[in-house]
Amino acid sequence: MAYEELYKKLDMDIEKHNQLMEILGQVYQELFLSRKNRPEGMNYFDGVIAEIHGKRIEELFALKEQGRALVGTFCIFVPEEIVVAAKGACYGLCGGAQFSIPEAEAHLPRNICPLIKSAYGFKLQRTCPYTQLADVIYGETTCEAKKKTWELLSQLHRVHVMHIPHKKETLERELWRKEIERFKVEIEELAGNTISFENLKEGIETVNAKRNAMKRLYDLRCKDGVVSIAGLDALLVNQISFYDDPVRFAQQVNQLCDELEERIEKGISVFPEDVPKILVSGTPMAPPNWKLHSIIEQSGAAVVAEEACIGARYFRDNVDVSGCETVEDLIDALLERYLKIDCACFTPNDERVENVIKMCREKRVDGVVYYTLSFCHTYNVESKKVMDRLKEEGIPVLRIETDYSMEDVEQIRTRVEAFIETLR
Ligand code: SF4
Ligand code: SF4
């Protein structure tokens, strides 16, 4: 096996890892590679998945050998600009697979969110090279299950916990600012140098450019009645944004967008003209969680946007550096940008409800599928407010609560098909 030596250095369970990759390869072939009429620009992203535990891991390992900080994350609250400024790498850790959950359930309760169990299970199994490579795993206090899991995870790996306030008022803004500064100090310690104003500004601009490319993709997914790319492919691009080198990723997304512009001009659509268009709203879909999108699109609708962290919430807002003259100014700009995140962990969180409506209008969707992972209390409870508001606007909505197992696929399919029928 090509990367076996590397995996040994990372103390991985190679046999188990190979089983995981075999399953991933089969699922990917079925859901992605066997589909027709995909944009050619997707070849790059298919290659990233084919080499997800290969070339990218080699690149990160090389960075590690140069003493650059490698930070694994689970949440979009991480100010990744700070890691990029220190010339390190910040990447999302997969929490979207059923494969690692049985091991996790030996330590964690069964009735907590599968995202947490999946990610924790990868550490226990030693099957995720990204986890093994991380100098530090960045956790946050966004939900009860996560914050208690970090205590257990810290017995297995170095963990940094950032305290995310649950209200956005003055005192808590100050606390949050301090947390960003504390994170910066930790990254500087790992990198062995201080982050200058120029470096931080450059880090911010690099991440802004990545978000701009993703915004461009969001605009082009469905335009002038043409669905230029399948929702499943767009979701994949959004998922890859958390792993890839940010500069290369932005270039590739822009290249894909050039092709999508041509497809729109020529009227090349992935779906028939009258296809119902769906917004998926709710909990994040970490790779390889492709369950709901594949069901929706196999049932004859197109997913044209995700109101989620692996989706619009990640790229909607940039950090505004205009007028910044000092590192402190840049930290303030980071704070302002991260405060705009409308995660369901906040109370109140009415801005999210309004953002869902805004996205429905922008993308002219026919309906919304509200998605919540089992036992995610914040998104689960918040579904009532979001759904009430959607009903007020006359936008049809279907609520799906599920995990990563395949047992309920047919049941979900029946509900989704019936919902789509009502939209026609
Ligand atoms: S949903 Fe909330 S806790 Fe989860 S990744 Fe997004 S911001 Fe973080
Ligand atoms: S999906 Fe919900 S329960 Fe799971 S980690 Fe995110 S906020 Fe926590």
Side-chain angles (χ1 to χ4, degrees), residues 243-288:
Y243 300 85
D244 207 357
D245 172 79
V247 174
R248 182 178 55 210
F249 174 84
Q251 279 165 356
Q252 292 294 333
V253 175
N254 278 318
Q255 212 166 300
L256 172 67
C257 289
D258 293 343
E259 187 188 345
L260 298 188
E261 275 172 355
E262 272 177 41
R263 282 167 79 100
I264 292 163
E265 219 178 283
K266 292 182 185 154
I268 304 174
S269 188
V270 183
F271 296 95
E273 211 177 308
D274 57 350
V275 67
K277 297 175 188 73
I278 303 284
L279 172 99
V280 171
S281 167
T283 42
M285 294 174 178

Side-chain angles (χ1 to χ4, degrees), residues 130-416:
Y130 292 90
T131 305
Q132 297 301 99
L133 264 169
D135 293 309
V136 61
I137 294 178
Y138 177 102
E140 13 57 46
T141 57
T142 42
C143 69
E144 302 304 300
K146 265 187 176 176
K147 74 184 183 198
K148 296 310 286 179
T149 301
W150 308 145
E151 291 176 24
L152 302 183
L153 189 63
S154 65
Q155 294 170 353
L156 308 168
H157 204 108
R158 178 168 168 183
V159 176
H160 174 108
V161 180
M162 184 180 190
H163 186 170
I164 303 291
H166 294 166
K167 287 173 80 69
K168 293 181 180 173
E169 288 153 14
T170 328
L171 256 182
E172 292 177 327
R173 287 170 70 101
E174 210 31 57
L175 179 148
W176 201 347
R177 193 184 197 286
K178 287 204 169 82
E179 287 297 275
I180 296 178
E181 282 166 355
R182 195 166 68 86
F183 180 65
K184 177 172 161 285
V185 168
E186 177 149 5
I187 299 304
E188 287 174 334
E189 271 170 25
L190 280 172
N193 52 41
T194 310
I195 297 170
S196 64
F197 172 79
E198 286 71 27
N199 288 153
L200 188 51
K201 189 161 177 265
E202 196 185 317
I204 290 173
E205 281 163 353
T206 299
V207 180
N208 278 351
K210 173 166 86 157
R211 297 191 208 276
N212 286 342
M214 295 172 79
K215 259 179 246 159
R216 195 177 159 210
L217 174 62
Y218 170 82
D219 290 340
L220 293 171
R221 281 170 70 165
C222 176
K223 201 174 172 204
D224 303 337
V226 177
V227 182
S228 61
I229 182 169
L232 195 55
D233 282 333
L235 172 67
L236 181 79
V237 174
N238 285 333
Q239 290 172 332
I240 289 175
S241 72
F242 291 92
Y243 300 85
D244 207 357
D245 172 79
V247 174
R248 182 178 55 210
F249 174 84
Q251 279 165 356
Q252 292 294 333
V253 175
N254 278 318
Q255 212 166 300
L256 172 67
C257 289
D258 293 343
E259 187 188 345
L260 298 188
E261 275 172 355
E262 272 177 41
R263 282 167 79 100
I264 292 163
E265 219 178 283
K266 292 182 185 154
I268 304 174
S269 188
V270 183
F271 296 95
E273 211 177 308
D274 57 350
V275 67
K277 297 175 188 73
I278 303 284
L279 172 99
V280 171
S281 167
T283 42
M285 294 174 178
N289 179 8
W290 301 310
K291 184 170 161 180
L292 184 63
H293 276 53
S294 56
I295 294 174
I296 294 174
E297 297 201 323
Q298 286 162 3
S299 304
V303 179
V304 295
E306 293 81 23
E307 186 278 321
C309 289
I310 298 186
R313 190 173 297 117
Y314 175 68
F315 55 75
R316 189 179 54 213
D317 300 301
N318 276 356
V319 180
D320 181 4
V321 293
S322 56
C324 290
E325 288 175 0
T326 62
V327 169
E328 287 66 34
D329 292 344
L330 293 175
I331 301 261
D332 280 337
L334 281 170
L335 176 67
E336 289 309 321
R337 187 266 167 203
Y338 280 84
L339 272 169
K340 289 182 185 151
I341 294 177
D342 53 351
C343 171
C345 71
F346 288 108
T347 185
N349 193 33
D350 294 336
E351 58 200 275
R352 172 167 178 243
V353 183
E354 291 316 310
N355 275 328
V356 174
I357 303 297
K358 192 170 158 232
M359 284 182 71
C360 288
R361 289 187 188 135
E362 257 169 27
K363 304 306 287 185
R364 298 177 181 200
V365 297
D366 298 294
V368 170
V369 176
Y370 192 98
Y371 171 73
T372 173
L373 283 170
S374 319
F375 307 112
C376 172
H377 303 318
T378 50
Y379 280 88
N380 239 327
V381 175
E382 199 158 276
S383 70
K384 168 88 170 77
K385 274 189 145 179
V386 175
M387 289 172 73
D388 284 353
R389 186 73 180 88
L390 284 166
K391 281 174 195 155
E392 234 176 77
E393 290 288 318
I395 302 168
V397 53
L398 172 72
R399 183 179 179 285
I400 298 283
E401 180 178 346
T402 186
D403 57 16
Y404 300 155
S405 73
M406 291 295 135
E407 283 156 22
D408 59 354
V409 164
E410 291 314 314
Q411 196 195 346
I412 296 174
R413 194 186 303 282
T414 306
R415 293 185 59 212
V416 167

